[in-house]
Amino acid sequence: MGLKIYNSLSRQLEEFSPLKEGHVSMYSCGPTVYDYIHIGNARTALVTDIIRRYLTYKEYTVKLVQNLTDIDDKIIDRAHTLGLSAHELAHTNGLAYFEDTQRLGIQAADIHPKATEHIPEMIDLIQILLDKGAAYVVDGSVYYRVNAFSEYGKLSHRKPEDLLAGARVEVDERKEDPRDFDMWKAAKPGEPYWESPWGHGRPGWHIECSSMAMKHLGETIDIHAGGEDLLFPHHENEIAQSELATGVPFARYWVHVAFLKIDGKRMGKSEKNFILLREALDKYPAEVIRHFLVSAHYRHPLDYSIESLQTSESALRRLNNCLDTLKKFTTDIDESIDTQDDLTTDDNSLVSAIDTMQSGFIRAMDTDFNTAQAVGSIFTLVSTVNKSIAKNNGISNHIYTHAYNALIETCEVLGIYSTNEQDTGKTDEYLDPVLNLLLDIRQDARNRKDWDTSDMIRDRLKELNIEIQDTKEGSTWKFIS
Ligand code: AMP
Ligand code: ZN
């Protein structure tokens, strides 16, 4: 079975087949840089990152473009409030966006085009649409004539009457049809502007993505991604502009990410119920936040809560503990499992658990990037390995090496394991002195033959998934699954 992607355009799970064999072009709508991003925005950015990582894992060459909307009403208003220029505000927040997403382990796109650096391309595209009779100029603004595109509504699956009902809410006398939208906005006094054949003004949001996507990826792109709120009107309008201009399909697979919610409501700036990504990253390692965000399939809403992050934190502790222990058994000798004919029953059952994990992981990710199930496969193997280590059943080192490599490879696709010692070691660094203190107290109790206190410490720690091991050299602790 190959990769299947749910395409919002057809509303079906479709076999993925890129336009050019072995290559994938992907465009993802990036942030409007008027403020820091919250973890809802991060969910959408992370899904793009994971799709790209998985396609790369499947040996596609991926070209990812993610824009920055660095001019729009929100940027102008906020800059005005803060006494900054729109450019200054967008520049600062653009840098903050890269800083935050990099901290979350999101790999930079191949190109991050800025709207303000593509004004000539936008003007050219608007001119093409004007020449085709698909646009009109009113008082220095240029509007797209929705009526000129017979397939308008094909992405959002809205009927013309639904579209009209929605568009009527904001009545604009200058439009021929309430559904028409601006591609070029005439400058209002005091606003930043660019020269154009229609006078001073600035581009509309939809034309930005159409022209930047086509400039960097060509007229037809393989995958276009964004949050579910962008499906209509943003993506519907991108299709209308691009397809009417070129006459060919604009994007072949449309991927929309469901909202991150908090207390059942969409996390959003306007709702004032957001948690900034940088605040979350100050409290939790990136891998914990990533684990939480991939714990649901991207088309399902996900609820934010401290408890969910704590669950992810303890899951990652188990994973790191397992990998750290496995690492001690790893060998550099490149022995193929197939050539080993002296495998024990325990060896064989671990080999088959590794195979099950790998095939489960691929099956899950091939089914529309089902990260929730993929994580499930990984953690099933983690439990098996932990049990096997605890049983101390003499598994060969090269099989533990195989388990280690398989886990690292799959975890890296999801970005839930970092080889950065500083990150992964944080918890132990913090817990070590506290637990050593407890072990000293317990040892003291044992010296006094106070077995009740000694057992109570051991049992209570066990409830917290921490196991004490008493050896001749003294007591040690470790996480258990
Ligand atoms: P904005 O800053 O509102 O333009 O959003 C930037 C990106 O984040 C867009 O792709 C949105 O669809 C997405 N987004 C905004 N809020 C959420 C949320 N609560 N959950 C998931 N994605 C979101
Ligand atoms: Zn866009």
Side-chain angles (χ1 to χ4, degrees):
M1 190 189 89
L3 171 62
K4 288 204 169 104
I5 301 183
Y6 180 87
N7 189 347
S8 309
L9 192 62
S10 64
R11 289 189 170 172
Q12 272 173 16
L13 211 53
E14 292 180 14
E15 201 83 49
F16 179 65
S17 149
L19 208 52
K20 189 171 160 208
E21 211 189 315
H23 293 257
V24 180
S25 56
M26 181 167 175
Y27 185 87
S28 170
C29 287
T32 302
V33 281
Y34 66 99
D35 206 345
Y36 296 139
I37 60 163
H38 55 69
I39 50 178
N41 304 130
R43 183 182 195 196
T44 300
L46 183 63
V47 169
T48 300
D49 180 59
I50 285 173
I51 292 180
R52 183 219 223 169
R53 285 177 188 232
Y54 186 61
L55 290 169
T56 309
Y57 169 86
K58 287 189 78 92
E59 298 186 347
Y60 286 105
T61 304
V62 184
K63 182 169 176 187
L64 173 66
V65 176
Q66 190 199 40
N67 70 299
L68 290 188
T69 294
D70 59 347
I71 186 73
D72 96 322
D73 290 343
K74 281 188 249 177
I75 295 176
I76 295 172
D77 291 349
R78 196 166 158 80
H80 185 74
T81 312
L82 297 173
L84 297 170
S85 71
H87 176 74
E88 281 167 334
L89 180 74
H91 181 70
T92 313
N93 285 322
L95 291 178
Y97 175 76
F98 290 122
E99 191 185 301
D100 291 354
T101 47
Q102 200 181 0
R103 277 178 76 191
L104 190 62
I106 291 180
Q107 295 164 350
D110 296 287
I111 307 174
H112 283 284
K114 289 185 183 149
T116 55
E117 290 171 3
H118 291 74
I119 305 287
E121 288 84 351
M122 294 171 200
I123 291 177
D124 288 350
L125 185 56
I126 297 171
Q127 191 58 56
I128 291 172
L129 291 165
L130 275 165
D131 295 345
K132 289 191 173 231
Y136 53 94
V137 184
V138 183
D139 300 336
S141 290
V142 187
Y143 292 91
Y144 183 91
R145 184 177 278 130
V146 166
N147 230 349
F149 186 59
S150 61
E151 292 179 90
Y152 193 79
K154 70 175 173 179
L155 178 68
S156 54
H157 302 264
R158 293 181 189 213
K159 297 189 213 82
E161 52 277 22
D162 301 338
L163 292 166
L164 269 172
R168 277 216 186 88
V169 177
E170 28 166 321
V171 180
D172 185 340
E173 295 297 318
R174 289 169 301 180
K175 293 184 191 174
E176 286 177 5
D177 180 323
R179 297 171 304 167
D180 294 351
F181 55 89
D182 46 19
M183 296 190 289
W184 187 260
K185 297 168 191 275
K188 294 190 196 120
E191 280 186 358
Y193 64 80
W194 286 262
E195 307 280 346
S196 83
W198 319 288
H200 292 169
R202 62 187 163 94
W205 174 34
H206 317 305
I207 201 74
E208 294 177 3
C209 284
S210 280
S211 52
M212 291 190 279
M214 291 199 288
K215 167 163 183 196
H216 295 289
L217 295 170
E219 292 182 347
T220 301
I221 57 184
D222 288 309
I223 303 176
H224 194 313
E228 64 177 335
D229 54 328
L230 304 190
L231 192 143
F232 184 83
H234 184 51
H235 292 159
E236 191 75 66
N237 292 354
E238 275 187 51
I239 293 179
Q241 296 165 147
S242 312
E243 297 195 356
L244 215 150
T246 65
V248 296
F250 174 50
R252 304 173 68 241
Y253 300 86
W254 285 90
V255 169
H256 289 102
V257 182
F259 287 143
L260 180 74
K261 297 188 166 188
I262 184 162
D263 299 326
K265 289 202 198 92
R266 171 196 173 170
M267 183 179 286
K269 286 278 158 58
S270 44
E271 287 79 3
K272 297 199 170 50
N273 60 359
F274 56 88
I275 314 271
L276 291 180
L277 175 58
R278 53 180 51 205
E279 287 171 355
L281 282 164
D282 287 340
K283 295 198 187 107
Y284 297 93
E287 294 73 29
V288 169
I289 300 173
R290 288 179 75 110
H291 179 274
F292 159 64
L293 290 173
V294 301
S295 64
H297 183 246
Y298 77 88
R299 277 192 293 116
H300 296 167
L302 172 66
D303 271 303
Y304 168 86
S305 69
I306 302 273
E307 292 73 35
S308 309
L309 279 175
Q310 285 168 345
T311 305
S312 291
E313 198 171 31
S314 79
L316 276 220
R317 230 180 262 142
R318 255 183 298 143
L319 173 68
N320 288 337
N321 197 43
C322 171
L323 287 168
D324 288 348
T325 314
L326 272 180
K327 198 161 185 206
K328 294 184 192 133
F329 294 104
T330 54
T331 154
D332 288 337
I333 306 161
D334 187 17
E335 284 170 300
S336 159
I337 304 297
D338 304 335
T339 60
Q340 300 293 314
D341 40 26
D342 52 351
L343 297 185
T344 64
T345 319
D346 285 327
D347 282 343
N348 276 322
S349 81
L350 189 52
V351 169
S352 104
I354 299 167
D355 287 349
T356 305
M357 184 283 279
Q358 284 173 318
S359 55
F361 177 84
I362 292 172
R363 195 167 45 249
M365 292 300 282
D366 269 353
T367 313
D368 195 28
F369 312 108
N370 193 333
T371 52
Q373 276 178 16
V375 170
S377 300
I378 291 174
F379 277 84
T380 305
L381 180 60
V382 167
S383 300
T384 311
V385 169
N386 282 349
K387 276 185 207 135
S388 156
I389 292 172
K391 256 171 73 187
N392 200 5
N393 50 8
I395 298 277
S396 323
N397 279 5
H398 71 277
I399 293 178
Y400 277 142
T401 307
H402 182 40
Y404 178 80
N405 291 339
L407 283 170
I408 291 286
E409 190 183 54
T410 46
C411 286
E412 275 179 355
V413 173
L414 302 176
I416 54 170
Y417 176 70
S418 158
T419 41
N420 181 345
E421 301 278 331
Q422 259 178 349
D423 285 351
T424 52
K426 238 183 224 165
T427 316
D428 291 359
E429 206 178 280
Y430 177 74
L431 271 181
D432 251 337
V434 179
L435 280 159
N436 287 340
L437 175 68
L438 270 176
L439 292 187
D440 286 349
I441 295 170
R442 182 167 170 270
Q443 190 53 48
D444 196 41
R446 283 160 69 87
N447 294 344
R448 284 185 278 108
K449 301 202 182 330
D450 177 1
W451 307 119
D452 285 350
T453 306
S454 158
D455 290 352
M456 193 249 307
I457 293 175
R458 190 196 56 214
D459 296 346
R460 295 285 291 275
L461 284 175
K462 193 149 196 182
E463 283 166 24
L464 299 169
N465 287 339
I466 293 170
E467 188 176 79
I468 294 184
Q469 287 162 323
D470 296 314
T471 66
K472 273 188 258 145
E473 290 78 35
S475 302
T476 58
W477 64 273
K478 67 167 193 169
F479 290 114
I480 47 170
S481 54

